Amino acid sequence: MKGSIAILFLLLLACSSRPTTQAGKAPAQSPEKALPNIVFILADDMGYGDAGCYNPESKIPTPAIDRLAAEGIRFTDAHAPGAWCVPSRYGFITGQYPLRANMDLKRGSLVAKDRPTVGSLLQRNGYRTAMIGKWHLGFEGVSDWNKVDYRQPFRGGPVDRGFDYFFGMHASLDIPPYFYLENNRCVTAPADSVAGHQSPGATTAISGAFWRGGKIAPDFKHQEVLPTFTRKAVSFMESHVKEQRKQPFFLYVALTGPHTPWVAQPPFAGKSAAGEYGDFTMQVDYSVGEILKTLEKLGIAENTLVIFSSDNGPVWFTEDVQKFNHRATANFRGMKVDAWEGGHRVPFIARWPGKIGPNTTSAQPLCFTDMLATFAAVVGDSLPPNEKRDSYDMLPALLNKGTAQRKGLVVEGHTVREGDWKLIFGSGMGVLHRQYGKGNAPVGKGELYNLHEDPAETRNLYDTHPEKVAELTRRMEQYRAEGSAASESHSHK
Ligand SMILES: [Ca+2]
């Protein structure tokens, strides 16, 4: 009798405790089968040499990014497919090189309706997908912001291209009109005007707390955007875990810093040894830290693949290097928009506890376009060949289980690389550098470098290695020919 009462008691206890167990712990799936959450954090205009884990001489403390590297893998040859925002983000979202599409935002939404995206791939594999931050890939029918009806929904943005939720901005934080979007709606219309802004003593007209004058929503403050996006990313994860813990999520956080305006807030303002840029980069690092902290607080860090990168090189002129003794691109040449490595070689760190070994590095060449095939491999999806033409599965490189197939890459339409050899058509110096930097570079027919022997791109071998120039020119022609054969149509009306 005593024994059966005890059994009954245990049974009751088991029944009553079950709901609590389910609500408070990981899903019932075995850990091997549970799909990981994916968080992709993209800084804007942050250089290869800004984080301490990439540049021990950096003048900017970046404890959160350094910690992510200590707990994961750091790629040393990772590239954005463009040296500025639009082509870079296009490549990430679509898994396709930007040279295959027209990058003119006046065309409307640059991502074709039938094109798969990292969002739609994960959506069809059962993920809840969200994007917080800067879109910068256009909206259907929006070619002139002066003619926009803010009461109407914005079509062709994140929620029409694979994301269940969006909170963010249409473009960079220095490009008006300034207003927030939630899903496909304007939150508060930009009914006021703001004058253009610059920092006294900034190195160039486009450095410092620079923004262009134009329309602005009455409640919009440039200084509040980075903290707002950070809070939104945190609250998305909190509410997702509360409401739909069993469903994996994909969160794409497109931060607005350290792109101009450099508007660091206390306690970061004045704290770095690299001026307003360094201070704002510290605040970007803090935002990364808040996201990591949230994953831990929610108990989901173990089953989340976190990736941190930057969309292109920094706005950091030779004068800035001299002024602050800080090399934002480490020892690579150039800056944002340049075809030199400083324009598109970016920090790229991935953490996935128990899967990716801590404190490892990889010299595997990688491009943002690879995220489509890599995420497909993570969830066990198979993409048709035309969808992954420019996208290589990096999972073997991430997990340190063999090498990925990628040997070369192409940046916009100006740079092609195979192995150690890199050919730039025209000049490596881009328009920002040319227009605002002191000094100039001659524009020749092209520039050829061997990155293994000369990573700083100091010896142009164009005239001495015509056979390499011809080989890489043919390679670029191949890329272009594949593009014109694509089934995808870009005839937006
Ligand atoms: Ca950028």
Side-chain angles (χ1 to χ4, degrees):
M1 186 68 183
K2 223 175 182 182
S4 49
I5 289 172
I7 288 165
L8 188 66
F9 177 74
L10 284 171
L11 274 171
L12 281 170
L13 192 72
C15 291
S16 64
S17 68
R18 185 166 292 155
T20 322
T21 308
Q22 282 188 343
K25 286 198 179 147
Q29 294 166 285
S30 71
E32 289 77 29
K33 284 184 183 162
L35 290 173
N37 306 304
I38 300 174
V39 176
F40 190 92
I41 308 168
L42 192 63
D44 195 355
D45 293 8
M46 181 171 162
Y48 183 94
D50 287 325
C53 55
Y54 275 91
N55 176 11
E57 310 288 308
S58 171
K59 295 287 185 290
I60 307 167
T62 52
I65 297 167
D66 296 348
R67 188 189 138 199
L68 197 65
E71 295 171 352
I73 189 166
R74 189 167 63 81
F75 283 72
T76 55
D77 197 2
H79 295 260
W84 56 291
C85 304
V86 175
S88 175
R89 285 148 203 273
Y90 178 85
F92 166 64
I93 290 277
T94 65
Q96 175 164 262
Y97 286 135
L99 66 70
R100 305 199 188 284
N102 184 330
M103 291 292 107
D104 181 2
L105 283 174
K106 289 199 168 62
R107 291 170 53 247
S109 176
L110 300 189
V111 183
K113 208 172 183 176
D114 54 352
R115 175 75 210 169
T117 67
V118 283
S120 68
L121 164 84
L122 293 169
Q123 238 174 9
R124 78 177 180 224
N125 283 281
Y127 280 66
R128 185 165 173 217
T129 59
M131 174 181 175
I132 311 287
K134 162 178 155 177
W135 170 238
H136 219 157
L137 290 170
F139 297 97
E140 283 168 12
V142 178
S143 57
D144 179 353
W145 283 100
N146 293 314
K147 294 179 182 159
V148 165
D149 181 352
Y150 290 92
R151 294 163 304 181
Q152 299 302 315
F154 286 80
R155 306 284 185 200
V159 291
D160 293 325
R161 297 295 185 267
F163 292 92
D164 298 318
Y165 178 74
F166 171 59
F167 184 92
M169 292 172 64
H170 68 95
S172 307
L173 193 48
D174 59 11
I175 300 176
Y178 304 109
F179 67 100
Y180 291 116
L181 286 140
E182 185 158 33
N183 294 321
N184 61 5
R185 293 282 179 172
C186 166
V187 176
T188 308
D192 291 353
S193 289
V194 65
H197 192 267
Q198 277 173 329
S199 296
T203 304
T204 72
I206 56 156
S207 308
F210 158 72
W211 69 71
R212 293 167 184 85
K215 291 289 188 190
I216 189 167
D219 59 352
F220 190 99
K221 296 212 169 26
H222 288 79
Q223 295 82 344
E224 288 175 3
V225 173
L226 185 56
T228 299
F229 288 165
T230 309
R231 270 199 312 276
K232 289 281 179 185
V234 166
S235 65
F236 167 80
M237 293 188 285
E238 286 174 345
S239 64
H240 178 86
V241 166
K242 202 168 157 195
E243 293 155 17
Q244 287 146 278
R245 186 174 189 108
K246 286 187 178 178
Q247 187 185 13
F249 69 82
F250 168 49
L251 175 60
Y252 167 34
V253 190
L255 299 172
T256 46
H259 193 292
T260 47
W262 300 334
V263 283
Q265 296 304 287
F268 309 104
K271 287 293 174 351
S272 83
E276 291 170 299
Y277 176 78
D279 299 348
F280 201 36
T281 304
M282 283 178 74
Q283 195 174 328
V284 167
D285 181 81
Y286 174 79
S287 292
V288 174
E290 288 298 290
I291 292 167
L292 299 180
K293 221 156 74 182
T294 305
L295 291 171
E296 277 145 35
K297 193 183 79 188
L298 296 171
I300 54 173
E302 290 296 310
N303 193 36
T304 300
L305 166 61
V306 180
I307 297 174
F308 169 81
S309 193
S310 171
D311 72 332
N312 52 253
V315 171
W316 200 248
F317 296 88
T318 312
E319 297 90 303
D320 294 304
V321 176
Q322 288 159 355
K323 200 151 127 189
F324 298 104
N325 193 23
H326 170 71
R327 307 187 77 92
T329 60
N331 292 315
F332 293 113
R333 187 178 183 186
M335 54 173 273
K336 177 180 181 175
V337 189
D338 290 348
W340 295 317
E341 293 294 286
H344 51 85
R345 194 184 289 228
V346 288
F348 188 99
I349 301 165
R351 183 187 81 177
W352 190 1
K355 301 267 188 186
I356 293 175
N359 209 15
T360 46
T361 58
S362 173
Q364 162 70 47
L366 176 152
C367 177
F368 286 171
T369 55
D370 299 332
M371 294 306 101
L372 186 73
T374 306
F375 294 166
V378 166
V379 300
D381 195 316
S382 54
L383 292 162
N386 69 322
E387 289 184 8
K388 59 180 176 189
R389 187 177 42 201
D390 303 330
S391 193
Y392 292 83
D393 171 15
M394 286 292 150
L395 201 52
L398 286 172
L399 305 181
N400 204 11
K401 290 180 178 166
T403 50
Q405 296 300 307
R406 178 180 285 284
K407 302 280 184 279
L409 52 96
V410 58
V411 181
E412 299 172 54
H414 55 60
T415 300
V416 61
R417 163 125 174 249
E418 277 302 305
D420 294 330
W421 289 93
K422 170 182 176 181
L423 175 64
I424 299 167
F425 297 89
S427 171
M429 183 181 271
V431 63
L432 281 188
H433 203 159
R434 196 171 290 283
Q435 197 173 338
Y436 297 97
K438 285 188 188 128
N440 225 321
V443 183
K445 287 166 294 194
E447 298 179 19
L448 178 77
Y449 299 104
N450 183 308
L451 291 176
H452 178 69
E453 288 164 9
D454 180 24
E457 298 171 280
T458 58
R459 295 185 299 279
N460 182 3
L461 306 174
Y462 190 93
D463 290 327
T464 54
H465 290 65
E467 76 297 338
K468 270 288 162 205
V469 171
E471 182 191 322
L472 286 167
T473 303
R474 278 197 301 275
R475 189 73 192 98
M476 185 61 121
E477 282 162 6
Q478 268 172 15
Y479 282 123
R480 290 190 188 286
E482 289 164 2
S484 60
S487 60
E488 185 177 335
S489 146
H490 278 281
S491 56
H492 290 271
K493 302 206 167 66

